């Protein structure tokens, strides 16, 4: 589904109001596919949602392509020999429920790539350095944005396939 200008122009003031009213951090604005249980149950918002519209207003986190410094092989291709367990561990630290079986992890990895990497690169296949570096970038952004004492109960506010946690 491709979203219209009218949908975005309606969403932005609403998102800004929710973020302000409930002190929601950019890290806590996520797509339903990132947390749905069981993994793979929903695919919203989809690859056509323009997350940069939210991140440009400080409403969601994004990954800057310039920060994805990936080791290359002799032929210029990205080195993708990272262990699956390393990416699973980073995804768990980020907050993804990666599950015990490989299908749950694959759904979460696909949701992560669609949300954070689809605008930058067409990535498929096993987990690799792009995934790890993107996750590390998000973790760093999140750790830098919050005071260490920040704790609060979580409430989910679903709007148009987005979830705002307050």
């Amino acid at each position: 589904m491709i979203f219209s200008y009218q949908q975005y122009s309606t969403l932005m003031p609403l998102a800004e109001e929710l973020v302000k009213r409930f002190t929601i951090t950019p890290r806590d604005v996520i797509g339903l596919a990132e947390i749905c249980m069981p993994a793979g149950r929903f695919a919203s918002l989809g690859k056509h949602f323009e997350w940069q519209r939210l991140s440009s207003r400080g409403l969601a986190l994004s990954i800057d392509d310039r920060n994805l410094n990936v080791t290359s092989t002799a032929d210029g291709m990205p080195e993708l020999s990272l262990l699956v367990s390393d990416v699973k561990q980073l995804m768990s630290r980020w907050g993804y429920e990666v599950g015990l079986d490989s299908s749950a992890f694959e759904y979460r990895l696909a949701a992560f790539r669609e949300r954070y990497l689809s605008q930058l690169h067409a990535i498929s296949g096993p987990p690799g350095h792009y995934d790890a570096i993107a996750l590390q970038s998000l973790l760093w952004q999140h750790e830098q944005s919050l005071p260490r004492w920040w704790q609060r109960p979580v409430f989910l506010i679903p709007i148009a396939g987005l979830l705002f946690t307050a």
Side-chain angles (χ1 to χ4, degrees), residues 5-6 10-11 15 17 19 41 50 73 76 91 101 109 125 129 136-137 140 142 150 156-157 160 165:
Y5 171 80
Q6 193 171 29
T10 301
L11 174 63
E17 177 61 29
V19 165
R41 184 173 173 200
E50 297 175 18
T73 60
M91 289 180 76
D101 66 352
L109 180 62
H129 281 100
Q136 289 169 340
S137 171
W140 182 86
H142 177 60
W150 184 265
L156 297 179
I157 305 166
T165 60

Side-chain angles (χ1 to χ4, degrees), residues 6-128:
Q6 193 171 29
Q7 288 172 305
Y8 286 114
S9 62
T10 301
L11 174 63
M12 291 306 144
L14 180 58
E16 288 171 341
E17 177 61 29
L18 287 171
V19 165
K20 181 180 174 184
R21 181 181 297 176
F22 296 105
T23 319
I24 298 169
T25 66
R27 186 228 191 271
D28 294 325
V29 177
I30 58 177
L32 184 58
E34 295 179 77
I35 65 159
C36 69
M37 295 300 283
R41 184 173 173 200
F42 295 102
S44 58
L45 287 165
K47 64 183 177 183
H48 298 292
F49 184 78
E50 297 175 18
W51 284 96
Q52 67 272 18
R53 289 183 187 241
L54 291 172
S55 60
S56 69
R57 294 182 181 205
L59 300 172
L61 291 183
S62 64
I63 297 170
D64 187 342
D65 192 22
R66 296 169 298 193
N67 295 333
L68 291 179
N69 298 320
V70 177
T71 306
S72 297
T73 60
D75 61 0
M77 295 301 291
E79 177 63 54
L80 300 175
S81 60
L82 204 64
L83 295 174
V84 170
S85 60
D86 296 333
V87 173
K88 274 188 175 180
Q89 182 181 31
L90 287 168
M91 289 180 76
S92 292
R93 277 186 56 207
W94 180 241
Y96 282 106
E97 174 57 51
V98 294
L100 299 175
D101 66 352
S102 62
S103 66
F105 172 66
E106 290 169 9
Y107 281 122
R108 292 290 186 235
L109 180 62
F112 166 77
R113 287 174 170 173
E114 189 171 88
R115 161 68 174 89
Y116 293 102
L117 299 173
S118 67
Q119 302 298 321
L120 306 175
H121 306 281
I123 299 175
S124 60

